[in-house]
Amino acid sequence: MESSKRQRGRPKSLFKESTAGTMQSLDRALGVLTETARLERAALSDLARETGVPTATTHRILMTLQKHGFVAFDEERQEWMIGIEAYRTGASFLRRNSVIEIGRPVLRRLMQDSGETANLAVPDGAQVVFVGQVETANPIRAFFPPGARTPMYASGTGKAILAAMGEAALTRLMTGAKPERFTPHTLIDDTRLQADLDQTRARGWSLDREERYQGMSCIGAAIFNDRGEPCAGISVSGPTVRFNAERAPELGALVQAAAQEVTRQSGGHLPARDAGNAGL
């Protein structure tokens, strides 16, 4: 009987099916809560349609969430919205995450030095969530509202985090991911994405060239925790015309330096391959 060979090196496919099970009732409840936050205000029928959960079940979920303060109901408009307890939960995350607090002045300096909108994002599964931003004064600029999220493979910040991960962590994260092509430039092909991550790892910063939004580009770098693991990312974003081949290395150096500063100030540890470039 042949034994299966142990996989070596980078995974052949970054997008794999997941075999992990979930608790269906909790999965549905969290889905309804997440969709309520995304829509900000929504009727019961809209939430049921967007989540794919039957209307009666959606209503029971909402009533339970309302009982615990995670959603509220506007009697006059007959709409559901996020409740105070959800805010408290989110605020707890912000308080414990020193990277977010430390990153604010660094973001401002990065915006001033680069002339582009500076962003801070944290990973959430196979996505990144934008938790901080300082907009440039340029009339044509990028904007991501707080809480906006995007798949890692289609984000400058996300690709920087992916490139900084170990092989095992990368494989676990991408298991079950279902890539979506947002633009003709989105890297959903395994070979092209892996080559892009290798290049990102070698130079210390990523380049998203219209992979999420047409006409917009982004350059990102990873922030590391005290174990040398990527825990967040910082980036600059703006119109592609301002992110040409001549300017990209200059912006990349600024972003990498900003990420390293947040890493140091938050007690993080640069991996050995990045420590030698800490003077950038």
Side-chain angles (χ1 to χ4, degrees):
M1 181 176 178
E2 284 190 8
S3 59
S4 59
K5 291 184 178 179
R6 179 167 167 257
Q7 188 178 21
R8 303 187 64 181
R10 291 282 165 178
K12 290 183 178 180
S13 175
L14 293 179
F15 306 109
K16 298 183 178 181
E17 293 300 320
S18 174
T19 57
T22 60
M23 186 182 295
Q24 187 182 49
S25 58
L26 181 58
D27 191 56
R28 284 181 168 183
L30 292 174
V32 170
L33 181 63
T34 300
E35 196 61 28
T36 304
R38 187 183 73 83
L39 296 174
E40 296 187 355
R41 302 181 73 96
L44 172 63
S45 57
D46 293 332
L47 287 169
R49 182 184 65 252
E50 292 297 321
T51 58
V53 177
T55 303
T57 303
T58 301
H59 185 256
R60 288 198 299 272
I61 290 171
L62 288 167
M63 292 298 290
T64 302
L65 292 172
Q66 183 185 36
K67 175 184 175 182
H68 294 279
F70 282 89
V71 300
F73 184 62
D74 187 328
E75 294 283 354
E76 184 176 345
R77 298 177 59 172
Q78 293 292 292
E79 290 177 334
W80 291 91
M81 52 196 167
I82 285 296
I84 188 64
E85 201 57 43
Y87 169 78
R88 290 196 183 103
T89 301
S92 175
F93 169 78
L94 292 176
R95 285 194 300 271
R96 77 165 175 81
N97 199 319
S98 62
V99 166
I100 296 174
E101 188 66 31
I102 290 169
R104 288 172 183 164
V106 178
L107 281 182
R108 183 161 298 281
R109 287 197 301 274
L110 179 58
M111 181 277 292
Q112 293 169 344
D113 293 342
S114 67
E116 303 295 345
T117 295
N119 316 286
L120 184 67
V122 295
D124 181 22
Q127 297 182 321
V128 286
V129 181
F130 290 90
V131 294
Q133 184 179 79
V134 177
E135 289 186 77
T136 177
N138 279 314
I140 303 176
R141 58 187 183 270
F143 173 72
F144 303 102
R149 59 178 62 227
T150 192
M152 284 194 180
Y153 64 86
S155 158
T157 308
K159 290 197 299 179
I161 294 172
L162 288 176
M165 286 184 170
E167 294 173 12
L170 179 61
T171 301
R172 286 195 302 270
L173 182 70
M174 300 307 289
T175 296
K178 297 179 180 179
E180 177 182 353
R181 188 180 294 282
F182 298 102
T183 78
H185 306 285
T186 307
L187 300 178
I188 62 172
D189 175 76
D190 291 321
T191 303
R192 291 182 62 204
L193 177 57
Q194 188 61 68
D196 186 271
L197 296 181
D198 290 342
Q199 186 177 18
T200 295
R201 193 177 305 109
R203 69 190 173 197
W205 50 270
S206 66
L207 174 60
D208 156 19
R209 191 168 181 84
E210 302 188 0
E211 294 161 35
R212 182 63 175 87
Y213 299 105
Q214 289 275 28
M216 302 299 290
S217 291
C218 176
I219 288 176
I223 295 168
F224 297 89
N225 62 21
D226 59 350
R227 296 181 298 278
E229 301 165 341
C231 62
I234 199 165
S235 66
V236 292
S237 52
T240 298
V241 294
R242 299 205 296 261
F243 283 66
N244 55 45
E246 292 75 24
R247 191 175 181 231
E250 173 193 344
L251 291 173
L254 289 173
V255 172
Q256 186 180 18
Q260 290 173 345
E261 181 178 355
V262 176
T263 295
R264 288 191 297 269
Q265 291 190 23
S266 60
H269 171 69
L270 290 174
R273 63 177 178 271
D274 295 316
N277 298 323
L280 287 176

